[in-house]
């Protein structure tokens, strides 16, 4: 669990670095994908809704995105936190899927 | 019992929200230091990634270049070389410049990060150009070793320009997402597609004669007192490897 969490955080950090440098040069992508947000949402969707790692992960993803953006720190943090909490709520109350693997 | 748990849940939620808000406020108070710390260990990696990508672009261009007509290109290359040399000499004579590498581009805004900061004598408000005398933008935030440059396409950017050989005065305004337009062009003035847009230096923000782009599309409306034109940019952000800061 801790190992997987750390690995995900390292992947997140490098995705943000790629997003702000290499992805801009990929000509076939008309828009630069926000890989960090995609990863944070994926983690929240795949995680067992009762666990909280997704929420902390979203906060961290938001924080790192804020660091590499120009606006005030906190905007992405709050946006991702709200998305994460909403996903948790929806998956806990309304969705029942067999989780292949718990993160 | 249930009511007590519900109450304590709400209470802990309020405490967590308050702590988060306090944390965000604190980080924002020390945001320069926090950002500087993250840039300190991230910039070397970003620099490598950025330069690798620009190298790929260069190789692609070189490939296209080699497949084109050899004789025609030979003469063009000679002409280009001479012009570039002339431009370089002109630049050095005209301005006091500092050379910097581009490290990254902001994920959400038209801002780039360069590897020169207050230690190298860079200060807020300095102008940034390319070797071809194309205007890149203005330094908006300075760290010890890094600076943020607001591109001319940023929504907050507007400056005086002149269009074509007639030197029609207009205002260039960034539209965000790497788009820029020229506005406030008097109705009676004739602007043509392909006219070169350069800075006029009237407002004193940018020096005169820096290239911005060329007119791509003109929007004329009888009701409006002014014409607006879309500017085709000379600056390709994904291909910039290095820039010059006018000291």
């Amino acid at each position: 669990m801790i190992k997987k969490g750390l690995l995900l955080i390292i992947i997140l950090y490098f995705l943000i670095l790629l997003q702000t440098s290499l992805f801009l040069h990929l000509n076939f992508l008309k828009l630069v994908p926000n890989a960090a947000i995609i990863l944070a949402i994926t983690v929240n969707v795949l995680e067992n809704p009762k666990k909280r790692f997704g929420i902390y992960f979203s906060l961290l993803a938001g924080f790192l995105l804020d660091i590499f953006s120009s606006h005030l720190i906190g905007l992405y943090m709050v946006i991702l936190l709200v998305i994460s909490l909403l996903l948790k709520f929806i998956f806990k109350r309304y969705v029942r899927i067999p989780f292949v693997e718990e993160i | 019992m249930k009511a007590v748990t519900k109450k304590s849940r709400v209470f802990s939620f309020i405490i967590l929200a308050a702590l988060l808000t306090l944390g965000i406020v604190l980080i924002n108070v020390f945001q320069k230091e926090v950002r500087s710390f993250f840039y300190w260990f991230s910039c070397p990696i970003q620099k490598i990634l950025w330069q690798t990508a620009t190298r790929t672009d260069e190789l692609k261009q070189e490939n296209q270049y080699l497949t084109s007509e050899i004789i025609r290109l030979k003469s063009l290359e000679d002409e280009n070389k001479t012009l570039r040399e002339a431009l370089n000499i002109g630049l050095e004579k005209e301005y006091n410049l500092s050379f910097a590498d581009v490290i990254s581009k902001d994920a959400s805004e038209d801002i780039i990060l360069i590897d020169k900061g207050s230690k190298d004598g860079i200060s807020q408000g300095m102008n940034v150009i390319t070797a071809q005398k194309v205007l890149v933008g203005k330094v908006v935030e300075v760290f010890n070793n890094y600076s943020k440059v607001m591109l001319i396409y940023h929504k907050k950017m507007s400056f005086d320009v002149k269009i074509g050989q007639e030197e029609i005065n207009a205002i260039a305004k960034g539209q965000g997402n790497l788009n820029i337009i020229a506005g406030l062009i008097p109705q009676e003035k004739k602007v043509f597609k392909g006219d070169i847009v350069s800075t006029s230096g009237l407002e004193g923000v940018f020096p005169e004669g820096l290239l911005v782009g060329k007119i791509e599309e003109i929007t004329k409306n009888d009701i409006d007192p002014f014409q607006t034109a879309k500017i085709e940019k000379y600056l390709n952000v994904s291909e910039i490897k290095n820039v010059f800061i006018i000291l």
Side-chain angles (χ1 to χ4, degrees):
Chain A
M1 161 79 190
I2 295 170
K3 260 189 188 174
K4 275 183 190 171
L6 274 175
L7 186 71
L8 273 172
I9 290 167
I10 293 167
I11 292 172
L12 170 76
Y13 173 69
F14 279 99
L15 269 180
I16 290 176
L17 292 190
L18 283 170
Q19 191 182 315
T20 52
S21 54
L22 197 70
F23 286 1
L24 291 162
H25 298 269
L26 302 176
N27 289 335
F28 62 91
L29 300 170
K30 294 275 174 200
L31 292 166
V32 181
N34 202 325
I37 292 184
I38 296 170
L39 181 67
I41 291 174
T42 313
V43 167
N44 276 288
V45 169
L46 294 179
E47 191 190 37
N48 185 337
K50 284 173 189 165
K51 296 203 168 176
R52 287 182 186 167
F53 173 76
I55 299 173
Y56 302 133
F57 187 78
S58 301
L59 261 179
L60 183 73
F63 174 70
L64 286 176
L65 274 174
D66 283 329
I67 288 289
F68 292 101
S69 302
S70 303
H71 46 67
L72 285 174
I73 297 171
L75 183 76
Y76 276 119
M77 272 172 96
V78 174
I79 291 173
L80 279 175
L81 179 67
V82 171
I83 291 176
S84 171
L85 289 172
L86 265 175
L87 283 172
K88 291 269 166 216
F89 177 75
I90 292 166
F91 275 86
K92 213 172 180 178
R93 288 270 176 106
Y94 305 107
V95 186
R96 290 277 180 273
I97 49 166
F99 291 95
V100 183
E101 197 186 351
E102 288 181 2
I103 295 167
Chain B
M1 188 67 184
K2 240 183 182 180
V4 175
T5 23
K6 205 175 178 184
K7 218 175 177 183
S8 64
R9 247 189 195 181
V10 173
F11 185 67
S12 56
F13 180 77
I14 292 169
I15 288 194
L16 277 175
L19 278 174
L20 183 69
T21 318
L22 188 74
I24 290 174
V25 172
L26 267 175
I27 293 170
N28 275 301
V29 171
F30 300 104
Q31 64 161 299
K32 210 166 184 177
E33 288 78 8
V34 177
R35 281 203 163 115
S36 207
F37 170 70
F38 273 90
Y39 291 154
W40 169 67
F41 63 83
S42 303
C43 280
I45 310 168
Q46 279 182 304
K47 195 173 174 178
I48 293 166
L49 288 171
W50 186 273
Q51 283 177 353
T52 316
T54 44
R55 179 83 191 117
T56 320
D57 289 341
E58 275 171 24
L59 285 171
K60 270 184 197 166
Q61 281 174 4
E62 206 175 307
N63 196 12
Q64 287 169 356
Y65 165 86
L66 285 167
T67 48
S68 307
E69 297 165 72
I70 297 167
I71 303 163
R72 202 169 73 90
L73 265 180
K74 182 71 191 150
S75 63
L76 266 177
E77 190 193 37
D78 290 341
E79 193 185 326
N80 200 357
K81 209 174 171 182
T82 325
L83 278 171
R84 198 170 284 171
E85 274 168 12
L87 263 172
N88 278 341
I89 295 161
L91 267 182
E92 275 169 19
K93 272 184 184 172
E94 225 169 319
Y95 310 110
N96 188 11
L97 300 168
S98 174
F99 182 79
D101 283 334
V102 177
I103 291 168
S104 71
K105 186 189 169 288
D106 190 315
S108 57
E109 287 190 74
D110 294 318
I111 285 176
I112 54 170
L113 194 68
I114 54 170
D115 70 344
K116 287 273 165 79
S118 53
K119 273 186 183 171
D120 311 286
I122 308 298
S123 61
Q124 209 173 326
M126 281 181 172
N127 303 319
V128 182
I129 58 172
T130 66
Q132 289 78 29
K133 225 178 164 183
V134 176
L135 181 61
V136 177
K138 198 165 68 171
V139 176
V140 281
E141 205 174 349
V142 187
F143 302 95
N144 275 345
N145 297 308
Y146 312 99
S147 303
K148 276 186 177 176
V149 177
M150 187 188 275
L151 299 177
I152 50 170
Y153 313 116
H154 196 281
K155 278 183 180 170
K156 286 181 186 168
M157 211 46 137
S158 70
F159 50 94
D160 281 310
V161 287
K162 54 187 181 185
I163 304 168
Q165 289 185 336
E166 268 190 64
E167 302 200 342
I168 302 159
N169 282 317
I171 305 277
K173 199 167 180 343
Q175 299 291 293
N177 283 328
L178 306 176
N179 291 314
I180 187 164
I181 57 158
L184 297 179
I185 309 165
Q187 278 284 14
E188 68 275 11
K189 299 281 183 188
K190 278 188 179 170
V191 179
F192 302 100
K193 193 180 168 185
D195 275 356
I196 290 171
V197 183
S198 60
T199 53
S200 67
L202 283 177
E203 85 294 334
V205 177
F206 296 115
E208 194 190 342
L210 298 175
L211 292 170
V212 176
K214 59 183 177 185
I215 298 293
E216 191 185 4
E217 195 184 318
I218 304 139
T219 318
K220 211 172 178 180
N221 194 331
D222 289 339
I223 309 159
D224 294 332
F226 298 104
Q227 306 175 63
T228 312
K230 195 178 171 192
I231 301 173
E232 187 188 331
K233 48 191 186 273
Y234 278 144
L235 183 72
N236 192 347
V237 179
S238 61
E239 282 171 15
I240 324 173
K241 206 171 172 184
N242 11 67
V243 289
F244 292 98
I245 303 126
I246 304 176
L247 299 173

